[in-house]
Amino acid sequence: MAPQPGHQAVVRVPVATLWTDPEAIRPVDEPALRDSPDVAAWVAGLDRDQQVGDCVLTQLLLGEPVLVTEAGPDGWVRVVALGQPAAKLDPRGYPGWMRAAHLAAPADDAPGAPALVVDVRRTTLHEAAAGSPALTGVVLGTRLVSTGRPTDGWRPVRAAGRTDPLWSPEGDLVPSPAERPDAKEVLAVAERLRDLVYVWGGLSTDGIDCSGLVHLAWRRYGVTLPRDADDQAEATMPLALDDERPGDLYFFARPGRRIHHVGIVSAEPHGGRRRMLHACYRTRRVVEEELPPARVDTLVGAHRV
């Protein structure tokens, strides 16, 4: 049954994409729209210009909650992504359109069931321990719930939209953190995504944008930051330049314009020289580099989460 307006639902596929409008879809987007989307194939098929097309808003991970606000034509629904704050757009979360086939009704988890998080770039959930693949492309930062004890290196977990448990390689999961992480730990997660392809609106280890990199790295540790760079700046604490430390954030804006870019401080400043890890629009990759002159000219501040 299709999710109905006014009701919550959860993402039932490894990565679902949130779009500006069903009519904005391009032929190249077909792999991301399938009932079982192939996001890796979609990203691989994008050319340099299509990687920065503005029809993509963000992406949602397996199990992520949404509020359905409108039923559209041809199997589309308008939703609010409840785990991705976007105060300027909707106080409830990030709004946009997605395929109804990518959603399922929420399920009640057993009280006290251990919460887990995927701690590798990509994993596969299987029908049974060492059995056939059921969900491929489950990405870093995806939160799962254990449904029983590990068996021979495999752990049963609940997956949205599935009645029976699926099985994950136990080493691909870690317990959800109970304490706030040190910023350097978050930087270390982001560093594992070096050279990942830049995709506007991307929020997965198939492709990611600048604010998505920050959001996903903190999400891995259970900390929810806003989705967009300007909202991230408003949600974090400003620092005096030269007081920043690895794991803090740099924000960038052109004169008289709102913040358009964010990077993660990757080294302590030295002699006025600064370094950051970021998903770079220009190179279309996640890179770690010294701020070039064009970035220095638009640096408007350093912040701490």
Side-chain angles (χ1 to χ4, degrees):
M1 181 177 178
Q4 298 300 306
H7 293 266
Q8 287 195 27
V10 292
V11 174
R12 57 166 290 276
V13 296
V15 179
T17 303
L18 199 67
W19 308 85
T20 56
D21 190 284
E23 295 184 359
I25 300 304
R26 308 157 295 184
V28 73
D29 299 322
E30 186 274 333
L33 303 174
R34 299 171 187 166
D35 287 356
S36 297
D38 189 338
V39 175
W42 171 64
V43 171
L46 299 174
D47 64 27
R48 186 175 173 83
D49 291 335
Q50 291 165 340
Q51 286 175 309
V52 296
D54 59 5
C55 58
V56 176
L57 294 171
T58 186
Q59 292 180 308
L60 298 88
L61 307 187
L62 178 67
E64 192 168 339
V66 303
L67 173 66
V68 179
T69 59
E70 182 181 343
D74 302 323
W76 287 87
V77 289
R78 185 170 172 82
V79 304
V80 171
L82 300 174
Q84 299 188 33
K88 294 181 179 66
L89 301 174
D90 191 310
R92 299 169 295 181
Y94 216 109
W97 290 88
M98 66 183 298
R99 299 294 296 167
H102 296 170
L103 295 173
D108 294 328
D109 292 318
L116 305 167
V117 61
V118 175
D119 194 39
V120 293
R121 283 179 64 149
R122 291 167 63 89
T123 191
T124 296
L125 302 183
H126 297 250
E127 298 286 0
S132 301
L135 284 177
T136 60
V138 178
V139 302
L140 175 75
T142 300
R143 307 185 78 78
L144 298 166
V145 175
S146 175
T147 62
R149 295 179 177 274
T151 300
D152 297 327
W154 294 82
R155 181 181 283 273
V157 296
R158 179 181 300 281
R162 301 273 180 155
T163 302
D164 296 326
L166 297 181
W167 290 76
S168 169
E170 188 178 9
D172 291 352
L173 305 175
V174 294
S176 293
E179 299 180 357
R180 184 183 177 86
D182 183 87
K184 287 185 177 181
E185 295 178 281
V186 179
L187 172 60
V189 169
E191 285 178 332
R192 288 156 53 187
L193 303 185
R194 285 198 201 198
D195 204 41
L196 184 65
V197 173
Y198 181 100
V199 175
W200 180 275
L203 188 66
S204 82
T205 52
D206 293 309
I208 206 160
D209 67 12
C210 66
S211 55
L213 179 66
V214 172
H215 177 95
L216 186 63
W218 281 93
R219 180 193 284 208
R220 154 65 182 85
Y221 285 98
V223 177
T224 299
L225 289 184
R227 175 58 178 88
D228 289 341
D230 55 342
D231 290 327
Q232 290 174 353
E234 291 191 8
T236 51
M237 181 180 69
L239 304 169
L241 284 175
D242 293 333
D243 285 350
E244 68 268 24
R245 297 293 179 264
D248 291 333
L249 304 176
Y250 285 133
F251 290 98
F252 301 85
R254 298 178 183 89
R257 305 288 294 275
R258 70 178 188 175
I259 286 169
H260 68 270
H261 190 63
V262 59
I264 304 174
V265 179
S266 57
E268 295 192 11
H270 180 70
R273 301 167 70 175
R274 309 177 195 280
R275 301 189 67 87
M276 71 175 177
L277 179 77
H278 66 133
C280 180
Y281 179 99
R282 296 187 178 108
T283 64
R284 303 290 200 267
R285 295 283 173 181
V286 174
V287 296
E288 194 280 333
E289 63 179 358
E290 181 176 331
L291 271 60
R295 292 290 187 199
V296 173
D297 290 345
T298 57
L299 177 63
V300 294
H303 288 221
R304 181 163 295 158
V305 177

